[in-house]
Amino acid sequence: MYDFDFEKPSSIADAVAALATEDAQALGGGQTLIPTLKQRLASPSKLVSLTGIAEMQGVCDDGDAISVGGATVHADVAASGLIPALSDLAGNIGDPAVRNRGTIGGSLANNDPSACYPSAALGLGATITTNARSIAADDYFQGMFETALDEGEIITSVSFPKPQAANYQKFEQPASRFALVGVFVAKTAAGVRVAVTGAAEEGVHRWGAAEAALTANFSADAVPAAPSADGMISDLHGSSEYRAHLVAVLTRRAVAACA
Amino acid sequence: MSQVTMTVNGKTASGDVEGRTLLSHFLRETLNLTGTHVGCDTSQCGACVVHVNGEAVKACTMLAAEADGASVDTIEGQANADGSLNVIQQAFQDHHGLQCGFCTPGMVMSTAALLKDNPKPSEAEIRDYLEGNICRCTGYHNIVKAILAASGQDVSAVAAE
């Protein structure tokens, strides 16, 4: 790693001020960023840890939604159980030691195309709140590793509306424990949402054809044939056709699990 | 450089660190606690698992500065007060839960974290919890037996396979 300065502020305001330094970068749990730094793929002048900010910690029940602090670790979301599908997803990220450090804000800010959390945020229609504004998940994810966040903007909390039913199906790439493909299905009063991670070069996205079919008839039999393989990721773990096939299979499994 | 102070295995420990100094590096190089092993250095293998404020973490993927003020437990603090092996360590020895021993500190620390939350884990729960601890020698079988034994459970079902 190249060296950097380190700061650990105790308030959001102090963190925003610390991030005003040129080439400063926010640090969540570091489970992606620290390996990236070891590879010398990034060279921030300063890391600003967000793990010492009490107001960014924890999960709370807001009635029709739950609010998760941006620096809440996966293990705490897994233990909360307020939205079972979200807790199950958090409880299967990485391994126990990773879940004790990795944070929801870190995962959403990084927007890895194979990460689990983006599919929950998009599938449940979450609202991502930063130090500056609130962003609907539909506007937040802007392609592989790309988000609506501005330089120095911090995810302070994420609000997930409670669904009528929801389920996440992850086809795990066993070495990395990331999703080879993951599908999050949520049944809400406004219709069914299907969010797909791991599959596409654009990163997490909604599968509109499945949403329309499932809103009309919420059953596994209603899931359409596999989407086009165009734009799907192809690598040594699986071809684009294989990933497209998995999208449909996992969607059917998720719908069946909701019943 | 800045100074960090933490409680390591119940004793106060201080040292100077760079921003980039990893907790594993600080434990091994500054405090000379070389029981925390660095296997992959990419947070895959789990040989570096320690407890920070009671939670299992990978010390190679946490900055030492992040642990400033924390309570850190390593393999060196696991033995009983009289120096004898604790229940988990003794079970690993009794059931041959190690061959080369490189992964063992992380295995023991992960086991301690598992049994704290789940005192009687099933075989499936043990295997699931050890997802992030890799052993190249044993095939995990005897490690699972050791953990069942350490939690006071019958190992004969596993032993028969």
Side-chain angles (χ1 to χ4, degrees):
Chain A
M1 275 188 278
Y2 298 110
D3 198 18
F4 45 79
D5 294 331
F6 178 83
E7 277 192 53
K8 192 171 181 177
S10 56
S11 74
I12 293 168
D14 287 350
V16 171
L19 283 165
T21 307
E22 189 174 359
D23 294 331
Q25 189 168 357
L27 172 67
Q31 301 303 286
T32 297
L33 181 53
I34 291 175
T36 304
L37 294 171
K38 287 180 183 183
Q39 303 266 346
R40 293 192 165 183
L41 294 173
S43 52
S45 63
K46 173 164 70 176
L47 288 190
V48 180
S49 169
L50 305 179
T51 61
I53 301 172
E55 58 194 307
M56 283 175 57
Q57 293 286 346
V59 182
C60 72
D61 192 339
D62 295 338
D64 293 339
I66 73 165
S67 177
V68 182
T72 306
V73 298
H74 308 330
D76 287 347
V77 176
S80 75
L82 289 171
I83 296 178
L86 181 66
S87 291
D88 288 348
L89 174 149
N92 282 303
I93 296 172
D95 59 57
V98 167
R99 295 195 286 273
N100 284 334
R101 290 294 303 164
T103 67
I104 186 168
S107 174
L108 294 178
N110 190 46
N111 192 19
D112 187 296
S114 298
C116 295
Y117 260 132
S119 70
L122 193 59
L124 288 167
T127 300
I128 291 128
T129 300
T130 75
N131 55 296
R133 56 188 168 143
S134 290
I135 310 168
D138 285 323
D139 301 324
Y140 175 84
F141 299 103
Q142 301 188 345
M144 190 182 280
F145 297 110
E146 295 289 333
T147 72
L149 291 177
D150 290 329
E151 201 76 23
E153 194 172 4
I154 299 169
I155 296 174
T156 54
S157 70
V158 185
S159 177
F160 294 94
K162 289 181 185 170
Q164 294 170 351
N167 186 263
Y168 177 63
Q169 292 287 323
K170 176 181 182 180
F171 195 94
E172 189 171 284
Q173 202 287 90
S176 73
R177 307 179 197 109
F178 275 87
L180 186 66
V181 174
V183 176
F184 198 104
V185 172
K187 185 166 183 268
T188 76
V192 175
R193 294 172 68 99
V194 178
V196 178
T197 189
E201 289 169 354
E202 64 173 311
V204 69
H205 65 280
R206 291 169 65 182
W207 184 19
E211 291 184 349
L214 289 166
T215 297
N217 174 16
F218 193 71
S219 77
D221 294 339
V223 174
S228 166
D230 289 347
M232 296 285 181
I233 297 168
S234 187
D235 60 19
L236 76 167
H237 304 300
S239 66
S240 52
E241 290 79 9
Y242 184 60
R243 280 183 165 84
H245 175 72
L246 280 179
V247 169
V249 171
L250 296 177
T251 302
R252 282 199 292 274
R253 289 182 185 172
V255 173
C258 283
Chain B
M1 300 283 271
S2 61
Q3 191 181 58
V4 295
T5 302
M6 57 191 87
T7 304
V8 180
N9 300 325
K11 293 179 194 152
T12 301
S14 296
D16 291 329
V17 298
E18 294 182 306
R20 64 181 166 181
T21 304
L22 298 166
L23 179 58
S24 54
H25 191 91
F26 179 74
L27 292 169
R28 290 177 55 84
E29 305 296 331
T30 303
L31 304 184
N32 293 319
L33 295 173
T34 55
T36 298
H37 290 170
V38 177
C40 66
D41 209 24
T42 59
S43 72
Q44 299 282 316
C45 82
C48 67
V49 169
V50 301
H51 298 181
V52 175
N53 294 331
E55 305 286 351
V57 305
K58 294 184 170 177
C60 83
T61 309
M62 179 172 180
L63 299 175
E66 280 275 28
D68 189 25
S71 175
V72 178
D73 292 294
T74 73
I75 189 67
E76 286 88 348
Q78 293 297 298
N80 297 320
D82 65 1
S84 60
L85 299 180
N86 77 4
V87 170
I88 296 169
Q89 293 170 313
Q90 188 62 54
F92 269 71
Q93 184 179 71
D94 292 345
H95 293 276
H96 304 285
L98 63 153
Q99 287 180 28
C100 84
F102 192 87
C103 72
T104 312
M107 289 287 181
V108 169
M109 297 308 290
S110 282
T111 302
L114 167 63
L115 298 186
K116 180 166 68 75
D117 292 340
N118 184 356
K120 300 278 183 201
S122 67
E123 181 184 344
E125 288 170 336
I126 292 168
R127 290 185 184 277
D128 185 56
Y129 196 87
L130 293 182
E131 178 85 38
N133 290 83
I134 292 173
C135 171
R136 296 288 74 166
C137 305
T138 63
Y140 305 95
H141 217 55
N142 287 352
I143 292 172
V144 173
K145 280 166 63 179
I147 296 170
L148 283 168
S151 55
Q153 301 186 83
D154 182 21
V155 302
S156 58
V158 178
E161 286 176 15

